[in-house]
Amino acid sequence: NGEKVGLIGINGTGKSTLLSIIAGTEDADSINKEHPNKYSISYLPQTPVVDPEKTVMETVFMSDAPIIKLNLEYEYALAALSLDSSSIENQERFTRLQNEMDARLAWDLNTKARMVLTKLGINTFDKKMGELSGGQQKRVALAKVIIEPADLLLLDEPTNHLDVQSITWLQEYLKSEQGAVMF
């Protein structure tokens, strides 16, 4: 916990393959992984696959983590209320989710997601992923894995498509990260 590991090697030596095997997205010939039962891994592949129809916030909040799911539901309720504020159903759903966000202290995660996106140069949260450049899509995918609660954060070339300011911010952020980081 708290360790920071950098994999260094020339192209084609298997760094990305190793990360994807650890993440469980690729099979190994043989592997022995030992970790606690509820051990979670968050993985940023070198070329993330995104749904072009999802918005930035939908993409960031796509997760199995209950608190992230709550944030996604809240974002949907907010969008529905924005489209039809006179709907009693929309008002009740929004109020119920707002109260649940309060009760579960989920606002911190929502604020963190917006802060991380902004620090990575993404300022339009309702834009569709298909409207973003490849570099912007990678930044959104990076924000997604950063905010996801994880014991191990796997980042495959996370600084690709980042400017110097974003790289500096990411470096400082990862230094303070409590979980283990491998990049």
Side-chain angles (χ1 to χ4, degrees):
N1 197 27
E3 286 191 42
K4 312 301 185 245
V5 178
L7 297 176
I8 301 170
I10 60 173
N11 289 343
T13 57
K15 300 178 300 294
S16 295
T17 301
L18 176 62
L19 290 178
S20 65
I21 289 170
I22 294 169
T25 60
E26 195 168 323
D27 291 329
D29 293 339
S30 69
I31 187 169
N32 180 21
K33 294 194 289 189
E34 294 181 22
H35 54 75
N37 288 337
K38 292 186 178 184
Y39 194 78
S40 62
I41 297 174
S42 190
Y43 172 53
L44 174 71
Q46 199 171 112
T47 308
V49 177
V50 298
D51 183 338
E53 295 304 312
K54 298 282 186 203
T55 66
V56 167
M57 290 308 281
E58 286 174 317
T59 301
V60 168
F61 288 138
M62 283 294 165
S63 172
D64 291 331
I67 197 160
I68 294 179
K69 284 182 175 182
L70 174 60
N71 273 270
L72 180 60
E73 283 184 62
Y74 173 79
E75 290 293 326
Y76 284 145
L78 180 61
L81 189 62
S82 297
L83 290 174
D84 185 4
S85 60
S86 63
S87 165
I88 300 298
E89 182 182 332
N90 287 349
Q91 291 172 12
E92 288 175 353
R93 180 176 177 224
F94 179 77
T95 301
R96 179 181 55 80
L97 287 167
Q98 195 173 36
N99 290 337
E100 193 172 343
M101 293 278 287
D102 286 339
R104 294 183 58 194
L105 304 173
W107 296 111
D108 291 345
L109 184 66
N110 198 287
T111 302
K112 181 180 179 180
R114 292 171 190 279
M115 182 273 301
V116 168
L117 284 164
T118 301
K119 292 289 186 181
L120 294 173
I122 305 294
N123 300 306
T124 310
F125 308 130
D126 59 348
K127 206 171 205 181
K128 300 265 187 200
M129 292 297 289
E131 298 171 18
L132 302 179
S133 69
Q136 290 171 319
Q137 290 178 2
K138 175 100 181 214
R139 289 169 182 244
V140 172
L142 176 59
K144 177 190 182 333
V145 299
I146 284 177
I147 68 151
E148 222 171 352
D151 298 302
L152 175 60
L153 185 58
L154 299 173
L155 304 173
D156 195 347
E157 298 195 20
T159 58
N160 285 359
H161 306 291
L162 295 184
D163 57 20
V164 174
Q165 185 177 5
S166 297
I167 291 171
T168 303
W169 175 83
L170 180 61
Q171 179 181 349
E172 292 304 313
Y173 181 86
L174 292 177
K175 280 184 192 176
S176 66
E177 181 68 23
Q178 297 299 312
V181 180
M182 183 180 289
F183 59 96

